[in-house]
């Protein structure tokens, strides 16, 4: 009977709306004295936080990487177009802050379960879980708005002083986030019952700490001023401090021997992609995942990456990005003579095996109507000829709403290696020994010779708009972009922290199509598949996909390449979003972000 009452009460708490910002004490309706009475109650509440705060499959695939530099898309996010201002901005409503209230309510009331718990570490574990989610919550808010108000307790509806206080500085908030992360990493349990499952453990906390500390450490290094205020940071040593904390978190994970890269020489052409396409989570490498299950909990990712309908943005990797994939012998594709004019079939040969596990390449097959079928890129889905398959189930019966069952990683050991490598570089501590335990094994598990590069890659120097030229950093960034391709917001966040938002305006180019009015083979069967024309044909070949340039006005055709129009507008004010007008109207103590 009590369990039923608890579940009903928890539902009320987790689903209730807020009358005011961060308010609505639910004690009278929920009865915290009765609810927080045992360890099981803490488990139920913690599971409710996972239900509310776990990112969806969609958020773990495209999310803000939807607008990253390496994708041509149908429509640019309105935030990145002219005309965006604080009247259009969202993200500060009651709903947007509700999870913080839930977390702080949990922290305030969980001690009531202490008399029923014999082991004090259990209570500390759940305090760590709550503080993990609070760090996650504020990391999201800071990335969006910079300076935000810090709250570490539920706010009474009548406490107008706290309710409508000014924003706290980003520096203060991120120091509090680091306190929460350190508490979670120290106190969240590493017991076996918390591992290889979708709950928070010490190792999940360490993974979040590594990600956040790398972000903040590099953000403070590359941004000489706080974008929210336009003024210099007050703590000149914060960058180094956060980077050292990142290294510490990575060291703890790497030395735990609980995780490793999935790497077998016999599966080198398939093992990377299987991490994203299977229902069963491979917890050898995956630290934390959103688990899905066929017929129980499913999503639309396969549909989204296979459809040309309104529910997709036609995510199309650009030729500029695909050029960065190395050859299997470790050489650079862009060192080849006339690499810009190599055919699609030839350019995809003998390349890093992650390429064929990320996009369709010649020889790709999937089930169509139950029959394994040779499948080429669908130009109704891709603008560039490169079609994403990294997260797809290879069966068109799953290209429908709510049928994909594959679980999606949130944190992987591969990211830890990349975070460690980059933090070490930014601290001036990177050398061949760090390369050998980070970048090298990532390349070798993808079939690529992991030898140290002798010189900086001129193609990458130009790609990053001549802002970096160190060979180590260029290779770390190459590896990060390829390994973590479209995993949520990681690439977009990288550009923000590196202060390279200008890359969002990159050219979007297609595969090489030598001339118009001539059929071009893209699946290797020696029959034409695509043709560029200037007008509609009276007798088109049904086996050929025609791109009519007179109608496809979003393209220009230059030197054998289709250029998709990129309408992205970048100004440095966009390193933060504006504070919504409604928030400033409701709370006159709020100030607008610099440049907005």
């Amino acid at each position: 009977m009590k369990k039923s009452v608890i579940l009903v009460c928890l539902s009320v708490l987790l689903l209730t709306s807020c009358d005011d910002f961060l308010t609505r004490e639910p004690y009278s309706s929920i009865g915290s004295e009765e609810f927080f009475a045992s360890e099981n109650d803490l488990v139920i509440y913690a599971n409710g936080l996972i239900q509310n705060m776990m990112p969806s499959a969609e958020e773990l695939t495209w999310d803000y990487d939807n607008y990253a530099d390496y994708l041509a898309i149908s429509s640019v996010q309105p935030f990145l177009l002219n005309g965006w201002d604080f009247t259009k901005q969202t993200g500060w409503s009651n709903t947007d802050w509700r999870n913080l209230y839930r977390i702080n309510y949990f922290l305030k009331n969980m001690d009531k379960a202490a008399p029923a718990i014999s082991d004090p570490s259990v209570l500390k574990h759940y305090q760590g879980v709550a503080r993990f989610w609070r760090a996650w919550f504020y990391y999201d808010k800071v990335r969006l708005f910079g300076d935000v108000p810090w709250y570490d307790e539920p706010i009474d509806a009548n406490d107008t002083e706290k309710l409508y206080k000014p924003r706290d500085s980003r520096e203060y908030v991120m120091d509090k986030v680091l306190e929460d992360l350190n508490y979670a990493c120290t106190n969240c349990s590493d017991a076996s019952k918390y591992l290889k499952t979708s709950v928070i453990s010490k190792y999940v906390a360490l993974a979040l700490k590594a990600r956040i500390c790398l972000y903040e450490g590099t953000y403070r290094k590359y941004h000489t001023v706080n974008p929210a205020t336009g003024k210099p940071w007050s703590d000149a040593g914060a960058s180094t401090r956060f980077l050292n904390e990142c290294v510490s978190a990575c060291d703890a994970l790497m030395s735990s021997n609980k995780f490793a890269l999935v790497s077998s020489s016999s599966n080198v052409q398939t093992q990377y992609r299987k991490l994203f396409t299977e229902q069963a989570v491979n917890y050898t490498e995956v630290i934390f995942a959103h688990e899905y299950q066929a017929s129980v909990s499913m999503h639309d990712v396969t549909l989204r990456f296979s459809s040309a309908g309104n529910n997709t943005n036609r995510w199309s990797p650009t030729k500029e990005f695909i050029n960065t994939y190395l050859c299997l012998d470790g050489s650079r594709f862009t060192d080849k003579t006339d690499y810009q004019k190599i055919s699609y079939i030839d350019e995809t040969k003998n390349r890093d095996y992650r390429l064929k596990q990320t996009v369709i390449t010649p020889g790709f097959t999937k089930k169509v109507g139950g029959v394994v079928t040779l499948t080429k890129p669908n130009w109704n889905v891709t603008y560039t000829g490169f079609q994403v398959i990294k997260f797809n189930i290879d069966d068109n019966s799953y290209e429908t709403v709510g049928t994909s069952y594959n679980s999606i990683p949130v944190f992987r050991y591969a990211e830890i290696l990349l975070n460690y490598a980059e933090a070490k570089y930014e601290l001036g501590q990177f050398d061949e020994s760090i390369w050998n335990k980070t970048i090298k094994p990532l390349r070798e598990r993808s079939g690529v010779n992991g030898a140290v590069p002798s010189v900086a890659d001129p193609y990458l120097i130009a790609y990053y708009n001549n802002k970096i030229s160190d060979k180590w950093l260029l290779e770390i960034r190459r590896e990060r972009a390829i390994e973590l391709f479209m995993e949520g917001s990681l690439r977009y966040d990288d550009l923000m922290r590196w202060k390279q938002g200008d890359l969002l305006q990159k050219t979007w180019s297609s595969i090489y199509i030598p001339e118009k009015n001539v059929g071009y083979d893209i699946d290797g069967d020696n029959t034409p598949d695509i043709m560029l024309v200037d007008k509609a044909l009276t007798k088109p070949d049904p086996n050929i996909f025609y791109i009519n340039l007179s109608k496809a006005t979003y393209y220009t055709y230059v030197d054998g390449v289709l250029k998709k129009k990129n309408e992205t507008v970048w100004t440095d004010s966009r390193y933060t979003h504006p504070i919504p007008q409604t928030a400033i109207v409701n709370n006159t103590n709020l100030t607008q972000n610099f440049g907005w």
Side-chain angles (χ1 to χ4, degrees), residues 226-252:
N226 180 350
T229 64
K231 298 177 181 178
W233 306 105
S234 62
D235 183 355
S239 173
T240 297
R241 180 161 51 86
F242 275 97
L243 289 169
N244 277 321
E245 292 282 4
C246 173
V247 169
S248 173
C250 292
D251 268 330

Side-chain angles (χ1 to χ4, degrees), residues 145-189:
F145 297 115
D147 294 1
V148 291
W150 172 264
Y151 292 98
D152 55 13
E153 61 180 357
I155 308 302
D156 186 275
N158 297 316
D159 192 342
T160 56
E161 182 179 354
K162 290 182 179 178
L163 186 62
Y164 297 113
K165 73 172 189 173
R167 294 191 287 167
D168 291 298
S169 73
R170 178 192 184 120
E171 292 175 273
Y172 175 80
V173 172
M174 290 308 295
D175 282 346
K176 301 298 285 185
V177 166
L178 183 56
E179 287 180 17
D180 277 351
L181 289 169
N182 282 336
Y183 186 93
C185 292
T186 300
N187 292 287
C188 285
S189 177

Side-chain angles (χ1 to χ4, degrees), residues 42-111:
L42 302 183
V43 172
I44 292 171
Y45 200 106
N47 288 342
L49 290 178
I50 291 175
Q51 178 184 346
N52 279 278
M53 298 193 68
M54 174 74 81
S56 66
E58 291 79 5
E59 291 170 314
L60 293 170
T61 52
W62 57 86
D63 202 30
Y64 265 79
D65 277 5
N66 191 12
Y67 313 110
D69 56 311
Y70 49 31
L71 292 171
I73 53 178
S74 298
S75 57
V76 173
Q77 211 253 20
F79 171 69
L80 297 171
L81 296 173
N82 280 323
W84 188 260
D85 62 21
F86 59 89
T87 65
K88 301 179 178 69
Q89 183 65 49
T90 59
W92 205 286
S93 68
N94 297 332
T95 302
D96 295 308
W97 293 85
R98 191 176 299 154
N99 281 329
L100 179 58
Y101 181 87
R102 293 165 175 151
I103 295 163
N104 285 336
Y105 181 85
F106 191 28
L107 283 165
K108 182 173 183 177
N109 289 282
M110 68 170 64
D111 283 349

